[in-house]
PDB file of all heavy atoms in Angstrom:
ATOM      1  N   PHE O   7    -102.861  22.866  -7.507  1.00 98.00           N
ATOM      2  CA  PHE O   7    -102.825  23.496  -8.856  1.00 98.00           C
ATOM      3  C   PHE O   7    -101.365  23.753  -9.231  1.00 98.00           C
ATOM      4  O   PHE O   7    -100.469  23.847  -8.366  1.00 98.00           O
ATOM      5  CB  PHE O   7    -103.700  24.707  -8.969  1.00 98.00           C
ATOM      6  CG  PHE O   7    -103.443  25.825  -7.928  1.00 98.00           C
ATOM      7  CD1 PHE O   7    -102.625  26.883  -8.260  1.00 98.00           C
ATOM      8  CD2 PHE O   7    -104.037  25.711  -6.703  1.00 98.00           C
ATOM      9  CE1 PHE O   7    -102.377  27.914  -7.286  1.00 98.00           C
ATOM     10  CE2 PHE O   7    -103.801  26.762  -5.746  1.00 98.00           C
ATOM     11  CZ  PHE O   7    -102.987  27.822  -6.042  1.00 98.00           C
ATOM     12  N   ASP O   8    -101.148  23.907 -10.559  1.00 98.00           N
ATOM     13  CA  ASP O   8     -99.781  23.928 -11.102  1.00 98.00           C
ATOM     14  C   ASP O   8     -99.388  25.385 -11.329  1.00 98.00           C
ATOM     15  O   ASP O   8    -100.091  26.358 -11.133  1.00 98.00           O
ATOM     16  CB  ASP O   8     -99.670  23.089 -12.318  1.00 98.00           C
ATOM     17  CG  ASP O   8    -100.523  23.541 -13.439  1.00 98.00           C
ATOM     18  OD1 ASP O   8    -101.039  24.676 -13.436  1.00 98.00           O
ATOM     19  OD2 ASP O   8    -100.692  22.747 -14.425  1.00 98.00           O
ATOM     20  N   ALA O   9     -98.090  25.518 -11.793  1.00 98.00           N
ATOM     21  CA  ALA O   9     -97.488  26.845 -11.988  1.00 98.00           C
ATOM     22  C   ALA O   9     -98.231  27.616 -13.117  1.00 98.00           C
ATOM     23  O   ALA O   9     -98.364  28.842 -12.987  1.00 98.00           O
ATOM     24  CB  ALA O   9     -96.025  26.681 -12.344  1.00 98.00           C
ATOM     25  N   ASP O  10     -98.681  26.980 -14.161  1.00 98.00           N
ATOM     26  CA  ASP O  10     -99.376  27.663 -15.243  1.00 98.00           C
ATOM     27  C   ASP O  10    -100.690  28.251 -14.761  1.00 98.00           C
ATOM     28  O   ASP O  10    -101.048  29.354 -15.097  1.00 98.00           O
ATOM     29  CB  ASP O  10     -99.593  26.746 -16.436  1.00 98.00           C
ATOM     30  CG  ASP O  10     -98.343  26.443 -17.213  1.00 98.00           C
ATOM     31  OD1 ASP O  10     -97.349  27.244 -17.082  1.00 98.00           O
ATOM     32  OD2 ASP O  10     -98.288  25.409 -17.894  1.00 98.00           O
ATOM     33  N   THR O  11    -101.400  27.497 -13.909  1.00 98.00           N
ATOM     34  CA  THR O  11    -102.622  28.007 -13.323  1.00 98.00           C
ATOM     35  C   THR O  11    -102.312  29.216 -12.414  1.00 98.00           C
ATOM     36  O   THR O  11    -103.038  30.185 -12.403  1.00 98.00           O
ATOM     37  CB  THR O  11    -103.327  26.909 -12.520  1.00 98.00           C
ATOM     38  OG1 THR O  11    -103.643  25.804 -13.365  1.00 98.00           O
ATOM     39  CG2 THR O  11    -104.669  27.389 -11.890  1.00 98.00           C
ATOM     40  N   ALA O  12    -101.278  29.058 -11.612  1.00 98.00           N
ATOM     41  CA  ALA O  12    -100.870  30.195 -10.747  1.00 98.00           C
ATOM     42  C   ALA O  12    -100.542  31.417 -11.529  1.00 98.00           C
ATOM     43  O   ALA O  12    -100.878  32.548 -11.129  1.00 98.00           O
ATOM     44  CB  ALA O  12     -99.705  29.717  -9.828  1.00 98.00           C
ATOM     45  N   LEU O  13     -99.837  31.279 -12.649  1.00 98.00           N
ATOM     46  CA  LEU O  13     -99.490  32.420 -13.514  1.00 98.00           C
ATOM     47  C   LEU O  13    -100.753  33.059 -14.100  1.00 98.00           C
ATOM     48  O   LEU O  13    -100.906  34.310 -14.097  1.00 98.00           O
ATOM     49  CB  LEU O  13     -98.576  31.977 -14.575  1.00 98.00           C
ATOM     50  CG  LEU O  13     -98.031  33.053 -15.554  1.00 98.00           C
ATOM     51  CD1 LEU O  13     -97.201  34.113 -14.823  1.00 98.00           C
ATOM     52  CD2 LEU O  13     -97.259  32.424 -16.730  1.00 98.00           C
ATOM     53  N   ARG O  14    -101.671  32.231 -14.560  1.00 97.00           N
ATOM     54  CA  ARG O  14    -102.885  32.732 -15.212  1.00 97.00           C
ATOM     55  C   ARG O  14    -103.699  33.565 -14.194  1.00 97.00           C
ATOM     56  O   ARG O  14    -104.290  34.584 -14.550  1.00 97.00           O
ATOM     57  CB  ARG O  14    -103.713  31.581 -15.733  1.00 97.00           C
ATOM     58  CG  ARG O  14    -105.072  31.950 -16.249  1.00 97.00           C
ATOM     59  CD  ARG O  14    -105.822  30.769 -16.851  1.00 97.00           C
ATOM     60  NE  ARG O  14    -105.897  29.664 -15.957  1.00 97.00           N
ATOM     61  CZ  ARG O  14    -106.789  29.537 -14.965  1.00 97.00           C
ATOM     62  NH1 ARG O  14    -107.641  30.534 -14.674  1.00 97.00           N
ATOM     63  NH2 ARG O  14    -106.800  28.416 -14.210  1.00 97.00           N
ATOM     64  N   MET O  15    -103.708  33.173 -12.932  1.00 96.00           N
ATOM     65  CA  MET O  15    -104.476  33.882 -11.911  1.00 96.00           C
ATOM     66  C   MET O  15    -103.746  35.112 -11.384  1.00 96.00           C
ATOM     67  O   MET O  15    -104.398  35.920 -10.678  1.00 96.00           O
ATOM     68  CB  MET O  15    -104.698  32.957 -10.709  1.00 96.00           C
ATOM     69  CG  MET O  15    -105.615  31.830 -10.990  1.00 96.00           C
ATOM     70  SD  MET O  15    -106.135  31.039  -9.428  1.00 96.00           S
ATOM     71  CE  MET O  15    -104.576  30.455  -8.729  1.00 96.00           C
ATOM     72  N   GLY O  16    -102.461  35.317 -11.678  1.00 96.00           N
ATOM     73  CA  GLY O  16    -101.729  36.387 -11.078  1.00 96.00           C
ATOM     74  C   GLY O  16    -101.125  36.023  -9.723  1.00 96.00           C
ATOM     75  O   GLY O  16    -100.632  36.905  -9.029  1.00 96.00           O
ATOM     76  N   PHE O  17    -101.194  34.709  -9.428  1.00 96.00           N
ATOM     77  CA  PHE O  17    -100.687  34.274  -8.157  1.00 96.00           C
ATOM     78  C   PHE O  17     -99.162  34.359  -8.092  1.00 96.00           C
ATOM     79  O   PHE O  17     -98.588  34.640  -7.106  1.00 96.00           O
ATOM     80  CB  PHE O  17    -101.125  32.748  -7.977  1.00 96.00           C
ATOM     81  CG  PHE O  17    -101.273  32.288  -6.625  1.00 96.00           C
ATOM     82  CD1 PHE O  17    -102.185  32.809  -5.732  1.00 96.00           C
ATOM     83  CD2 PHE O  17    -100.573  31.149  -6.217  1.00 96.00           C
ATOM     84  CE1 PHE O  17    -102.334  32.341  -4.469  1.00 96.00           C
ATOM     85  CE2 PHE O  17    -100.712  30.613  -4.923  1.00 96.00           C
ATOM     86  CZ  PHE O  17    -101.600  31.225  -4.072  1.00 96.00           C
ATOM     87  N   VAL O  18     -98.538  34.065  -9.241  1.00 98.00           N
ATOM     88  CA  VAL O  18     -97.076  34.220  -9.437  1.00 98.00           C
ATOM     89  C   VAL O  18     -96.878  35.165 -10.673  1.00 98.00           C
ATOM     90  O   VAL O  18     -97.811  35.313 -11.474  1.00 98.00           O
ATOM     91  CB  VAL O  18     -96.355  32.906  -9.649  1.00 98.00           C
ATOM     92  CG1 VAL O  18     -96.652  31.952  -8.522  1.00 98.00           C
ATOM     93  CG2 VAL O  18     -96.684  32.239 -10.997  1.00 98.00           C
ATOM     94  N   GLN O  19     -95.733  35.763 -10.816  1.00 98.00           N
ATOM     95  CA  GLN O  19     -95.514  36.712 -11.861  1.00 98.00           C
ATOM     96  C   GLN O  19     -94.681  36.148 -13.026  1.00 98.00           C
ATOM     97  O   GLN O  19     -94.842  36.660 -14.132  1.00 98.00           O
ATOM     98  CB  GLN O  19     -94.779  37.941 -11.286  1.00 98.00           C
ATOM     99  CG  GLN O  19     -95.688  38.871 -10.561  1.00 98.00           C
ATOM    100  CD  GLN O  19     -96.375  38.216  -9.357  1.00 98.00           C
ATOM    101  OE1 GLN O  19     -95.707  37.830  -8.396  1.00 98.00           O
ATOM    102  NE2 GLN O  19     -97.659  38.046  -9.415  1.00 98.00           N
ATOM    103  N   GLU O  20     -93.854  35.146 -12.794  1.00 98.00           N
ATOM    104  CA  GLU O  20     -93.107  34.500 -13.884  1.00 98.00           C
ATOM    105  C   GLU O  20     -93.030  32.976 -13.613  1.00 98.00           C
ATOM    106  O   GLU O  20     -92.944  32.583 -12.442  1.00 98.00           O
ATOM    107  CB  GLU O  20     -91.709  35.044 -14.044  1.00 98.00           C
ATOM    108  CG  GLU O  20     -91.658  36.488 -14.599  1.00 98.00           C
ATOM    109  CD  GLU O  20     -90.244  36.899 -15.011  1.00 98.00           C
ATOM    110  OE1 GLU O  20     -89.371  36.018 -15.074  1.00 98.00           O
ATOM    111  OE2 GLU O  20     -90.067  38.065 -15.246  1.00 98.00           O
ATOM    112  N   VAL O  21     -92.992  32.203 -14.691  1.00 98.00           N
ATOM    113  CA  VAL O  21     -92.703  30.748 -14.600  1.00 98.00           C
ATOM    114  C   VAL O  21     -91.526  30.454 -15.527  1.00 98.00           C
ATOM    115  O   VAL O  21     -91.537  30.888 -16.667  1.00 98.00           O
ATOM    116  CB  VAL O  21     -93.939  29.915 -14.991  1.00 98.00           C
ATOM    117  CG1 VAL O  21     -93.598  28.435 -14.996  1.00 98.00           C
ATOM    118  CG2 VAL O  21     -95.095  30.199 -14.116  1.00 98.00           C
ATOM    119  N   VAL O  22     -90.543  29.819 -14.967  1.00 98.00           N
ATOM    120  CA  VAL O  22     -89.303  29.478 -15.715  1.00 98.00           C
ATOM    121  C   VAL O  22     -89.047  27.992 -15.577  1.00 98.00           C
ATOM    122  O   VAL O  22     -89.494  27.360 -14.656  1.00 98.00           O
ATOM    123  CB  VAL O  22     -88.103  30.322 -15.247  1.00 98.00           C
ATOM    124  CG1 VAL O  22     -88.366  31.816 -15.430  1.00 98.00           C
ATOM    125  CG2 VAL O  22     -87.762  30.035 -13.822  1.00 98.00           C
ATOM    126  N   PRO O  23     -88.201  27.382 -16.453  1.00 98.00           N
ATOM    127  CA  PRO O  23     -87.858  25.982 -16.304  1.00 98.00           C
ATOM    128  C   PRO O  23     -87.159  25.762 -14.986  1.00 98.00           C
ATOM    129  O   PRO O  23     -86.386  26.559 -14.494  1.00 98.00           O
ATOM    130  CB  PRO O  23     -86.898  25.714 -17.446  1.00 98.00           C
ATOM    131  CG  PRO O  23     -87.282  26.805 -18.492  1.00 98.00           C
ATOM    132  CD  PRO O  23     -87.667  28.016 -17.723  1.00 98.00           C
ATOM    133  N   PHE O  24     -87.480  24.555 -14.372  1.00 98.00           N
ATOM    134  CA  PHE O  24     -86.867  24.243 -13.124  1.00 98.00           C
ATOM    135  C   PHE O  24     -85.335  24.297 -13.198  1.00 98.00           C
ATOM    136  O   PHE O  24     -84.716  23.850 -14.196  1.00 98.00           O
ATOM    137  CB  PHE O  24     -87.263  22.804 -12.698  1.00 98.00           C
ATOM    138  CG  PHE O  24     -86.564  22.317 -11.476  1.00 98.00           C
ATOM    139  CD1 PHE O  24     -86.884  22.896 -10.236  1.00 98.00           C
ATOM    140  CD2 PHE O  24     -85.561  21.299 -11.523  1.00 98.00           C
ATOM    141  CE1 PHE O  24     -86.211  22.406  -9.074  1.00 98.00           C
ATOM    142  CE2 PHE O  24     -84.923  20.885 -10.380  1.00 98.00           C
ATOM    143  CZ  PHE O  24     -85.251  21.428  -9.132  1.00 98.00           C
ATOM    144  N   GLY O  25     -84.701  24.859 -12.178  1.00 98.00           N
ATOM    145  CA  GLY O  25     -83.311  25.069 -12.133  1.00 98.00           C
ATOM    146  C   GLY O  25     -82.869  26.497 -12.531  1.00 98.00           C
ATOM    147  O   GLY O  25     -81.722  26.925 -12.246  1.00 98.00           O
ATOM    148  N   GLN O  26     -83.802  27.230 -13.134  1.00 98.00           N
ATOM    149  CA  GLN O  26     -83.515  28.591 -13.469  1.00 98.00           C
ATOM    150  C   GLN O  26     -84.136  29.645 -12.590  1.00 98.00           C
ATOM    151  O   GLN O  26     -83.901  30.807 -12.705  1.00 98.00           O
ATOM    152  CB  GLN O  26     -83.934  28.862 -14.933  1.00 98.00           C
ATOM    153  CG  GLN O  26     -83.292  28.016 -16.003  1.00 98.00           C
ATOM    154  CD  GLN O  26     -83.771  28.292 -17.401  1.00 98.00           C
ATOM    155  OE1 GLN O  26     -84.309  29.336 -17.687  1.00 98.00           O
ATOM    156  NE2 GLN O  26     -83.541  27.310 -18.317  1.00 98.00           N
ATOM    157  N   GLU O  27     -84.990  29.149 -11.665  1.00 98.00           N
ATOM    158  CA  GLU O  27     -85.841  30.051 -10.831  1.00 98.00           C
ATOM    159  C   GLU O  27     -85.017  31.063  -9.919  1.00 98.00           C
ATOM    160  O   GLU O  27     -85.325  32.229  -9.841  1.00 98.00           O
ATOM    161  CB  GLU O  27     -86.877  29.323 -10.114  1.00 98.00           C
ATOM    162  CG  GLU O  27     -86.307  28.302  -9.031  1.00 98.00           C
ATOM    163  CD  GLU O  27     -86.027  26.958  -9.619  1.00 98.00           C
ATOM    164  OE1 GLU O  27     -86.041  26.786 -10.867  1.00 98.00           O
ATOM    165  OE2 GLU O  27     -85.652  26.046  -8.823  1.00 98.00           O
ATOM    166  N   ILE O  28     -83.968  30.523  -9.300  1.00 98.00           N
ATOM    167  CA  ILE O  28     -83.245  31.347  -8.388  1.00 98.00           C
ATOM    168  C   ILE O  28     -82.375  32.385  -9.189  1.00 98.00           C
ATOM    169  O   ILE O  28     -82.335  33.604  -8.858  1.00 98.00           O
ATOM    170  CB  ILE O  28     -82.305  30.537  -7.439  1.00 98.00           C
ATOM    171  CG1 ILE O  28     -83.206  29.741  -6.530  1.00 98.00           C
ATOM    172  CG2 ILE O  28     -81.408  31.501  -6.646  1.00 98.00           C
ATOM    173  CD1 ILE O  28     -82.429  28.804  -5.632  1.00 98.00           C
ATOM    174  N   ASP O  29     -81.750  31.954 -10.301  1.00 98.00           N
ATOM    175  CA  ASP O  29     -81.019  32.849 -11.100  1.00 98.00           C
ATOM    176  C   ASP O  29     -81.908  33.940 -11.659  1.00 98.00           C
ATOM    177  O   ASP O  29     -81.461  35.133 -11.782  1.00 98.00           O
ATOM    178  CB  ASP O  29     -80.320  32.134 -12.239  1.00 98.00           C
ATOM    179  CG  ASP O  29     -79.146  31.285 -11.786  1.00 98.00           C
ATOM    180  OD1 ASP O  29     -78.660  31.449 -10.658  1.00 98.00           O
ATOM    181  OD2 ASP O  29     -78.773  30.362 -12.531  1.00 98.00           O
ATOM    182  N   ARG O  30     -83.116  33.567 -12.084  1.00 98.00           N
ATOM    183  CA  ARG O  30     -84.021  34.598 -12.603  1.00 98.00           C
ATOM    184  C   ARG O  30     -84.435  35.615 -11.528  1.00 98.00           C
ATOM    185  O   ARG O  30     -84.493  36.815 -11.835  1.00 98.00           O
ATOM    186  CB  ARG O  30     -85.302  33.905 -13.216  1.00 98.00           C
ATOM    187  CG  ARG O  30     -86.319  34.870 -13.744  1.00 98.00           C
ATOM    188  CD  ARG O  30     -85.764  35.825 -14.806  1.00 98.00           C
ATOM    189  NE  ARG O  30     -86.745  36.754 -15.292  1.00 98.00           N
ATOM    190  CZ  ARG O  30     -86.489  37.883 -15.936  1.00 98.00           C
ATOM    191  NH1 ARG O  30     -85.218  38.337 -16.053  1.00 98.00           N
ATOM    192  NH2 ARG O  30     -87.525  38.638 -16.367  1.00 98.00           N
ATOM    193  N   ALA O  31     -84.706  35.115 -10.372  1.00 98.00           N
ATOM    194  CA  ALA O  31     -85.072  36.080  -9.238  1.00 98.00           C
ATOM    195  C   ALA O  31     -83.920  36.974  -8.948  1.00 98.00           C
ATOM    196  O   ALA O  31     -84.143  38.237  -8.744  1.00 98.00           O
ATOM    197  CB  ALA O  31     -85.416  35.274  -8.038  1.00 98.00           C
ATOM    198  N   ILE O  32     -82.657  36.484  -8.934  1.00 98.00           N
ATOM    199  CA  ILE O  32     -81.499  37.348  -8.684  1.00 98.00           C
ATOM    200  C   ILE O  32     -81.387  38.378  -9.856  1.00 98.00           C
ATOM    201  O   ILE O  32     -81.020  39.560  -9.646  1.00 98.00           O
ATOM    202  CB  ILE O  32     -80.238  36.521  -8.483  1.00 98.00           C
ATOM    203  CG1 ILE O  32     -80.358  35.794  -7.192  1.00 98.00           C
ATOM    204  CG2 ILE O  32     -79.012  37.425  -8.488  1.00 98.00           C
ATOM    205  CD1 ILE O  32     -79.233  34.799  -6.888  1.00 98.00           C
ATOM    206  N   GLU O  33     -81.616  37.916 -11.061  1.00 98.00           N
ATOM    207  CA  GLU O  33     -81.568  38.862 -12.236  1.00 98.00           C
ATOM    208  C   GLU O  33     -82.600  39.975 -12.062  1.00 98.00           C
ATOM    209  O   GLU O  33     -82.292  41.169 -12.322  1.00 98.00           O
ATOM    210  CB  GLU O  33     -81.832  38.048 -13.550  1.00 98.00           C
ATOM    211  CG  GLU O  33     -81.795  38.918 -14.789  1.00 98.00           C
ATOM    212  CD  GLU O  33     -82.140  38.120 -16.008  1.00 98.00           C
ATOM    213  OE1 GLU O  33     -82.473  36.917 -15.883  1.00 98.00           O
ATOM    214  OE2 GLU O  33     -82.128  38.701 -17.128  1.00 98.00           O
ATOM    215  N   LEU O  34     -83.805  39.638 -11.661  1.00 98.00           N
ATOM    216  CA  LEU O  34     -84.799  40.674 -11.415  1.00 98.00           C
ATOM    217  C   LEU O  34     -84.360  41.587 -10.284  1.00 98.00           C
ATOM    218  O   LEU O  34     -84.593  42.834 -10.366  1.00 98.00           O
ATOM    219  CB  LEU O  34     -86.162  40.040 -11.105  1.00 98.00           C
ATOM    220  CG  LEU O  34     -86.895  39.297 -12.212  1.00 98.00           C
ATOM    221  CD1 LEU O  34     -88.098  38.594 -11.678  1.00 98.00           C
ATOM    222  CD2 LEU O  34     -87.267  40.301 -13.310  1.00 98.00           C
ATOM    223  N   ALA O  35     -83.824  41.027  -9.229  1.00 98.00           N
ATOM    224  CA  ALA O  35     -83.345  41.831  -8.129  1.00 98.00           C
ATOM    225  C   ALA O  35     -82.279  42.831  -8.533  1.00 98.00           C
ATOM    226  O   ALA O  35     -82.299  44.022  -8.169  1.00 98.00           O
ATOM    227  CB  ALA O  35     -82.813  40.925  -7.014  1.00 98.00           C
ATOM    228  N   ARG O  36     -81.432  42.424  -9.409  1.00 98.00           N
ATOM    229  CA  ARG O  36     -80.379  43.305  -9.938  1.00 98.00           C
ATOM    230  C   ARG O  36     -80.992  44.450 -10.732  1.00 98.00           C
ATOM    231  O   ARG O  36     -80.534  45.598 -10.670  1.00 98.00           O
ATOM    232  CB  ARG O  36     -79.317  42.584 -10.701  1.00 98.00           C
ATOM    233  CG  ARG O  36     -78.412  41.675  -9.859  1.00 98.00           C
ATOM    234  CD  ARG O  36     -77.413  40.886 -10.612  1.00 98.00           C
ATOM    235  NE  ARG O  36     -76.552  40.095  -9.731  1.00 98.00           N
ATOM    236  CZ  ARG O  36     -76.061  38.922  -9.982  1.00 98.00           C
ATOM    237  NH1 ARG O  36     -76.352  38.288 -11.107  1.00 98.00           N
ATOM    238  NH2 ARG O  36     -75.304  38.332  -9.065  1.00 98.00           N
ATOM    239  N   LYS O  37     -82.004  44.110 -11.518  1.00 98.00           N
ATOM    240  CA  LYS O  37     -82.646  45.151 -12.271  1.00 98.00           C
ATOM    241  C   LYS O  37     -83.343  46.152 -11.386  1.00 98.00           C
ATOM    242  O   LYS O  37     -83.354  47.372 -11.634  1.00 98.00           O
ATOM    243  CB  LYS O  37     -83.685  44.528 -13.231  1.00 98.00           C
ATOM    244  CG  LYS O  37     -83.062  43.805 -14.423  1.00 98.00           C
ATOM    245  CD  LYS O  37     -84.126  43.246 -15.364  1.00 98.00           C
ATOM    246  CE  LYS O  37     -83.482  42.529 -16.583  1.00 98.00           C
ATOM    247  NZ  LYS O  37     -84.502  41.982 -17.462  1.00 98.00           N
ATOM    248  N   ILE O  38     -83.981  45.710 -10.304  1.00 98.00           N
ATOM    249  CA  ILE O  38     -84.582  46.607  -9.321  1.00 98.00           C
ATOM    250  C   ILE O  38     -83.534  47.464  -8.676  1.00 98.00           C
ATOM    251  O   ILE O  38     -83.813  48.678  -8.509  1.00 98.00           O
ATOM    252  CB  ILE O  38     -85.387  45.753  -8.260  1.00 98.00           C
ATOM    253  CG1 ILE O  38     -86.566  45.064  -8.932  1.00 98.00           C
ATOM    254  CG2 ILE O  38     -85.866  46.642  -7.161  1.00 98.00           C
ATOM    255  CD1 ILE O  38     -87.276  44.100  -7.982  1.00 98.00           C
TER     256      ILE O  38
END
């Protein structure tokens, strides 16, 4: 199953365009 299905189920919390995922995780980490 794909990322959109995973997001709908609550399996993952955010879906971003490929190439942005690590930067987005670090951005969230900085907010935490």
Side-chain angles (χ1 to χ4, degrees):
F7 55 96
D8 61 16
D10 287 338
T11 301
L13 181 65
R14 173 175 54 79
M15 293 191 300
F17 207 61
V18 306
Q19 282 59 66
E20 289 193 12
V21 175
V22 299
F24 175 70
Q26 298 180 21
E27 61 275 8
I28 295 177
D29 288 342
R30 177 55 179 160
I32 292 173
E33 181 183 1
L34 290 173
R36 287 178 177 145
K37 288 183 178 180
I38 293 172

